Amino acid sequence: MPEQRERIIAANWKMNKTLHEGLALLVELNILLSNKPTQHTVVVAPPYIHLQSAVHAVADTGIKVAAQNCHQAPDGAYTGEISADMLQSVGAEYVILGHSERRQYFGETDELVAEKIKTATDNNLKVIYCCGESLEQREAGSHFELVKQQITTAVEGFQPNIIKDVVIAYEPVWAIGTGLTASPEQAQEMHAFIRETMAGIFGSEIADSTPILYGGSMKPANAAALLSQPDVDGGLIGGASLVAQDFFDIIHS
Ligand code: PGA
């Protein structure tokens, strides 16, 4: 792994935690990390409504704040939606896009997610772009093809100056919230494939510097083995990020 490749451990809270609970979690995490700091980039993605409070809670700690989604349009008559510009204005630095739950429950397609990536990066947000196959696709042996398609559709049209703000998260859908995890070998195999795909589109310099995170039931017990793979540059963690000590243990595994 090139020296310069950033390592990122990101927490995806999904639709969990009241404001009070979320802030308590951040206070606990701050204390743990101030006693034992990390070189890795730590990102937390609370629900929209807690973003501004989270930004205040982590001010001066080095922890970055992400949103879990944004709308593709810059602004307009989209009742109930949140724009990238709004996220930027409350201090969010990252946005997770293309999460499999957005694809599955809200019908998001690769084409839509490509639009969102454009709007997010236009508004100076870094993007954590999620891809990954379902169990049926893996069993049918079409997982490489599918992930290649997801990566290609989402990022192919962009210039390198946009791609430098994109982090990829490989999240096999069958491992998300199920307790099943990709084995370190399965993760490495797909991460290397994603890097190769990125190299095919943008060249090896960009491919080598793009962090590729693994997500799907990562927890303290399996994090070290996954994170020690040469092409696994971090994690996107759901369930285990809801407990400060567990998330901290993953950061330090
Ligand atoms: P999980 O979620 O860690 O609970 O499997 C990961 C994710 O969906 O980002």
Side-chain angles (χ1 to χ4, degrees):
M1 177 170 107
E3 279 307 308
Q4 73 276 18
R5 199 146 76 220
E6 189 182 10
R7 247 176 134 70
I8 302 174
I9 307 289
N12 177 8
W13 293 3
K14 309 190 181 184
M15 197 176 73
N16 293 294
K17 304 285 181 190
T18 63
L19 179 59
H20 180 76
E21 291 164 350
L23 292 179
L25 172 56
L26 290 177
V27 167
E28 208 183 327
L29 186 62
N30 284 343
I31 293 170
L32 290 166
L33 285 172
S34 61
N35 290 331
K36 192 176 176 194
T38 176
Q39 298 297 315
H40 306 335
T41 302
V42 176
V43 180
V44 293
Y48 283 138
I49 196 166
H50 306 337
L51 283 174
Q52 193 172 10
S53 307
V55 167
H56 287 298
V58 301
D60 307 321
T61 65
I63 299 173
K64 318 273 189 205
V65 174
Q68 299 172 18
N69 182 33
C70 71
H71 197 271
Q72 63 276 20
D75 52 35
Y78 300 101
T79 301
E81 289 296 319
I82 303 285
S83 74
D85 187 28
M86 293 171 196
L87 298 179
Q88 219 271 338
S89 75
V90 298
E93 290 181 56
Y94 287 78
V95 59
I96 298 171
L97 293 175
H99 191 279
S100 65
E101 287 149 16
R102 300 290 322 166
R103 295 173 187 267
Q104 186 179 349
Y105 304 128
F106 302 94
E108 295 197 7
T109 60
D110 294 328
E111 288 76 9
L112 176 73
V113 178
E115 284 183 56
K116 292 186 177 204
I117 293 175
K118 170 85 174 69
T119 311
T121 52
D122 280 351
N123 286 282
N124 300 317
L125 292 169
K126 294 191 169 133
V127 170
I128 300 176
Y129 170 65
C130 303
C131 58
E133 80 285 358
S134 66
L135 185 59
E136 298 71 46
Q137 288 157 337
R138 180 161 279 264
E139 283 175 344
S142 58
H143 44 299
F144 290 113
E145 196 185 317
L146 186 272
V147 169
K148 184 172 188 171
Q149 175 72 42
Q150 289 176 329
I151 301 275
T152 308
T153 311
V155 303
E156 195 170 46
F158 295 125
Q159 296 299 318
N161 67 321
I162 289 186
I163 296 307
K164 72 169 182 11
D165 288 330
V166 177
V167 172
I168 295 174
Y170 168 59
E171 300 207 303
V173 179
W174 48 272
I176 296 178
T178 56
L180 296 172
T181 322
S183 67
E185 295 71 27
Q186 285 172 321
Q188 169 56 27
E189 188 185 30
M190 185 58 90
H191 283 228
F193 175 77
I194 291 170
R195 204 173 302 288
E196 199 183 295
T197 304
M198 289 294 285
I201 307 172
F202 298 107
S204 58
E205 199 177 316
I206 287 185
D208 283 345
S209 60
T210 301
I212 306 178
L213 317 183
Y214 169 81
S217 299
M218 190 184 270
K219 40 187 178 282
N222 60 27
L226 288 158
L227 294 170
S228 65
Q229 298 301 311
D231 285 293
V232 178
D233 307 313
L236 179 56
I237 297 116
S241 75
L242 300 175
V243 176
Q245 184 70 50
D246 287 353
F247 186 55
F248 172 81
D249 288 344
I250 294 173
I251 293 169
H252 277 293
S253 31

